[in-house]
Amino acid sequence: MSTRALRRLKGKQRGQEALDLGDLTLGDSSEEQLDSANVYPPSNRKDSSRKAKKNKAQKNVSNIYELVSGLCGCPNMLLWPLQNEDCSGSDRKSVLHVEHRNLNPETELKRYFGARAVQGDQRPRQRNRQFHRSTWMTNPKDSWPRFSRPGISMTLLQSKEGIQYFTFEHGRQYQQVQFKFLDAVESMDPNNIVALLQLNPYHIDSLLQLSDVCRIQEDQEMARDLIERALYSFECACHPLFSLTSGTSRLDYLRTENRAFYLALYKHMMFLEKRGCPRTALEYCKLILRYRGKPLCTALTCIKGVHRNLCLLPNFAFSTALCHFHLSQQEDVDPEESEKDRQKADQMLEKALIMFPGVLIPLLDLCTVQPDARVSSHAFFGPKSQIGQPPALAELTALYVGRTHSMWRETAVMFWLEASVKEVLRRVDAKDPLVDDCQNKKQRYKCAPRNIHRHVLLSEIKEATSSLPLEVTSQPVMGFDPLPPLDSVMSYSRPERQHVGATNESTLSLFFRSLLPNFNLQVSSMDQAKWR
């Protein structure tokens, strides 16, 4: 019997095996410099020494974001199995390995509910059925408009050291549609975008922007459908040499034409998570990482060397401890291994609480748990810990708590957290040197970079968006291009508009504009005055 048949008998599918968390490790939080001899395999130590000399400037940094950037809060990286120092290159490659079939959410849903429940008994109607191009990221629907190339294409810029650099390009006709879209956005009337989509049903930015409008109106199905249509349009425009999953293709986020591709992938990943397909969402997260999606805070730019500093981010510090705790609770594990995982979980959680005490009270509040009087009144975990946080760290803390609080609600996890908090208070009262060391390290969180602000806006977590600085919330933020990079590369520019007459903002458009986080009625009135 073939291997494939054996997998089917066991109810398994290729590429859908559970993630192995056995190698989940974090380096010592007290180590500030990267030890290349422990990071690279023995066969690559000579190369690693040369790289260590080349990256000597990275040592003794004063801002944590200079070393660890783009890792703060990717929903599907919280439980990512990171490699330890003994991993081979092939093992590291497997962490980001993506198979085409794993990009289809139906593969995961069939595992949970069976093919009959997912597909149903409905047969596709042959009459008036449209034939779409076969793609990997989306399944074209018969309800979609007939596809015709919208005027977007992909070009190979260069090939260097086995890596191919591509970019999307807008044709002349597509540029004209893009200018009309920008006019529709400035009108703040969603009906204008709808009218534009009726004539150009596969215009990317219109699909992204209208998806946000549908999501605000709680029409999740339509919002998800529009994102899938945008991905389909992108995949149909891909270059023949462009590889979705091999990791050898790159797209520069600084180029305006490429940004919508990242945003469509990210929004699709978020919808998959809400749909109950976390494994498929993880595959799309890895897909973004393979394109170096650092501007969306999903890029693990230095997987070989940066893992020793991940404990300086609250999401990795707490989630890795939680992973080891769950490993210790498995029934089919050797008791000695289980005890080791539990001890490691206790140590990691205590370090996380000492490093980030501001996480505890907001986490308990969202879990509807009343903290002990000794905990809430103690200076280490009380209101002082919230006020004393650097603004950038408060942003990361709110992002993690808002995204993962449901993972801490289990009774066993809460008892474990309670015991760790008591131990931390004992160490604080005993003036453990680790406490002062962690307090000094928190000064590295000077200011969050623009890509982290962008990720917070896309996360749609109110606890995190409310912590954004004023310079972010006071500027216009649009779903089709949130917080564009300051050094954007534009291949064409928009012609200047001739404003004739006065235009009054309708009640409907004012309503949609009020839903934006940066809405200001006084500024809106000033904008209208400029049109007159």
Side-chain angles (χ1 to χ4, degrees):
M1 186 177 294
S2 65
T3 306
R4 183 178 182 182
L6 287 174
R7 282 199 305 267
R8 288 186 174 180
L9 286 176
K10 295 179 181 179
K12 297 181 179 180
Q13 294 185 11
R14 184 182 181 186
Q16 291 292 333
E17 297 81 4
L19 290 175
D20 181 13
L21 300 180
D23 293 333
L24 184 62
T25 60
L26 280 180
D28 189 359
S29 61
S30 64
E31 186 161 346
E32 299 181 7
Q33 299 179 357
L34 300 178
D35 184 2
S36 60
N38 292 329
V39 172
Y40 292 93
S43 61
N44 294 335
R45 286 184 178 176
K46 293 182 179 179
D47 295 337
S48 64
S49 62
R50 288 195 294 266
K51 292 182 179 180
K53 294 179 181 179
K54 182 178 180 180
N55 299 328
K56 186 176 181 180
Q58 292 183 350
K59 296 183 179 181
N60 300 325
V61 293
S62 58
N63 189 350
I64 183 60
Y65 295 109
E66 296 177 10
L67 266 182
V68 186
S69 180
L71 301 176
C72 63
C74 176
N76 302 299
M77 288 178 61
L78 297 174
L79 304 180
W80 201 306
L82 302 175
Q83 277 68 35
N84 57 22
E85 57 195 32
D86 297 327
C87 292
S88 63
S90 60
D91 292 334
R92 271 193 291 268
K93 182 179 179 181
S94 65
V95 176
L96 298 180
H97 178 67
V98 179
E99 289 190 6
H100 288 96
R101 61 179 300 168
N102 296 342
L103 299 176
N104 187 352
E106 291 187 1
T107 304
E108 183 174 4
L109 293 175
K110 289 176 182 178
R111 287 185 60 217
Y112 300 147
F113 308 108
R116 193 178 187 87
V118 174
Q119 295 178 347
D121 297 328
Q122 297 181 357
R123 296 182 179 179
R125 298 179 180 179
Q126 298 296 332
R127 182 179 299 177
N128 297 328
R129 184 183 179 188
Q130 298 185 35
F131 292 92
H132 295 274
R133 173 182 171 181
S134 178
T135 54
W136 290 108
M137 293 191 294
T138 57
N139 291 325
K141 302 176 182 178
D142 293 336
S143 59
W144 288 359
R146 184 176 298 277
F147 180 77
S148 59
R149 294 191 176 275
I152 185 172
S153 59
M154 179 183 282
T155 301
L156 175 62
L157 295 178
Q158 64 172 337
S159 297
K160 184 178 180 181
E161 298 180 355
I163 303 298
Q164 296 172 323
Y165 298 86
F166 296 87
T167 184
F168 285 101
E169 290 185 345
H170 295 172
R172 184 175 298 275
Q173 182 180 358
Y174 193 94
Q175 293 179 18
Q176 298 301 320
V177 177
Q178 185 72 10
F179 298 151
K180 294 179 181 179
F181 164 75
L182 296 176
D183 294 342
V185 169
E186 291 182 352
S187 70
M188 288 296 173
D189 189 350
N191 293 323
N192 293 335
I193 303 179
V194 173
L196 184 64
L197 269 180
Q198 289 177 347
L199 299 176
N200 307 274
Y202 289 92
H203 180 255
I204 304 296
D205 287 350
S206 296
L207 293 170
L208 295 180
Q209 190 67 30
L210 191 59
S211 175
D212 283 353
V213 174
C214 293
R215 180 182 50 78
I216 292 174
Q217 294 179 328
E218 299 184 356
D219 190 350
Q220 298 293 331
E221 184 177 357
M222 177 59 70
R224 183 176 69 245
D225 186 82
L226 293 172
I227 295 299
E228 292 178 358
R229 201 196 303 180
L231 284 176
Y232 178 76
S233 182
F234 268 126
E235 192 167 357
C236 290
C238 285
H239 193 278
L241 298 179
F242 181 80
S243 175
L244 284 173
T245 60
S246 67
T248 59
S249 300
R250 299 288 184 271
L251 286 168
D252 189 358
Y253 190 86
L254 296 181
R255 292 182 175 270
T256 308
E257 295 87 344
N258 294 340
R259 289 205 282 269
F261 181 68
Y262 283 102
L263 294 171
L265 286 175
Y266 188 90
K267 291 175 183 290
H268 186 56
M269 179 184 69
M270 300 297 290
F271 280 122
L272 287 172
E273 192 176 22
K274 295 177 182 178
R275 193 180 175 185
C277 300
R279 180 57 190 269
T280 309
L282 174 60
E283 297 301 313
Y284 275 90
C285 180
K286 293 190 291 184
L287 196 66
I288 299 175
L289 289 174
R290 283 181 168 268
Y291 302 143
R292 298 296 185 264
K294 178 179 177 180
L296 296 185
C297 284
T298 55
L300 192 55
T301 55
C302 299
I303 192 170
K304 295 182 179 179
V306 79
H307 73 279
R308 288 184 174 272
N309 294 276
L310 292 180
C311 53
L312 298 178
L313 294 173
N315 59 322
F316 278 95
F318 281 91
S319 292
T320 48
L322 184 60
C323 286
H324 282 286
F325 174 78
H326 285 300
L327 286 174
S328 68
Q329 302 298 304
Q330 294 182 355
E331 297 179 356
D332 56 345
V333 179
D334 183 74
E336 294 183 1
E337 293 295 329
S338 179
E339 182 63 24
K340 290 181 180 179
D341 284 326
R342 180 57 187 267
Q343 292 178 359
K344 194 166 188 176
D346 294 343
Q347 295 174 1
M348 297 179 74
L349 181 58
E350 290 172 14
K351 286 184 179 180
L353 289 169
I354 293 175
M355 184 69 188
F356 309 104
V359 170
L360 180 63
I361 299 302
L363 180 62
L364 295 178
D365 289 342
L366 290 181
C367 293
T368 63
V369 174
Q370 183 67 30
D372 185 82
R374 180 179 173 229
V375 175
S376 58
S377 60
H378 200 282
F380 191 74
F381 287 117
K384 185 179 179 181
S385 66
Q386 306 291 324
I387 301 174
Q389 286 188 118
L393 181 57
E395 192 173 334
L396 298 182
T397 298
L399 184 65
Y400 175 73
V401 171
R403 173 168 281 146
T404 62
H405 61 89
S406 60
M407 301 170 60
W408 293 83
R409 286 180 174 175
E410 298 180 16
T411 304
V413 174
M414 274 296 166
F415 280 121
W416 170 57
L417 177 61
E418 180 183 7
S420 298
V421 169
K422 291 180 179 179
E423 178 62 21
V424 168
L425 288 179
R426 186 195 66 79
R427 296 175 66 175
V428 171
D429 294 337
K431 298 183 178 180
D432 192 317
L434 179 62
V435 178
D436 292 335
D437 182 58
C438 290
Q439 294 298 318
N440 294 331
K441 286 184 178 181
K442 286 198 297 185
Q443 302 303 319
R444 297 179 178 183
Y445 297 85
K446 293 182 177 180
C447 59
R450 192 175 180 86
N451 60 337
I452 290 182
H453 297 326
R454 187 182 299 115
H455 177 86
V456 170
L457 288 171
L458 291 173
S459 69
E460 303 169 8
I461 298 175
K462 62 180 181 180
E463 293 84 4
T465 54
S466 61
S467 63
L468 287 170
L470 183 62
E471 60 266 19
V472 175
T473 58
S474 61
Q475 57 180 298
V477 178
M478 293 300 173
F480 70 95
D481 192 7
L483 295 183
L486 300 178
D487 52 349
S488 298
V489 178
M490 303 180 63
S491 59
Y492 63 95
S493 58
R494 181 186 180 189
E496 296 183 3
R497 296 183 58 194
Q498 298 293 332
H499 305 306
V500 180
T503 59
N504 294 323
E505 194 170 20
S506 65
T507 304
L508 180 62
S509 62
L510 185 62
F511 167 73
F512 282 111
R513 188 170 183 177
S514 66
L515 298 176
L516 298 174
N518 60 315
F519 174 74
N520 188 311
L521 183 60
Q522 182 177 2
V523 175
S524 178
S525 302
M526 293 174 61
D527 290 341
Q528 286 193 14
K530 293 179 181 179
W531 287 82
R532 298 172 182 169

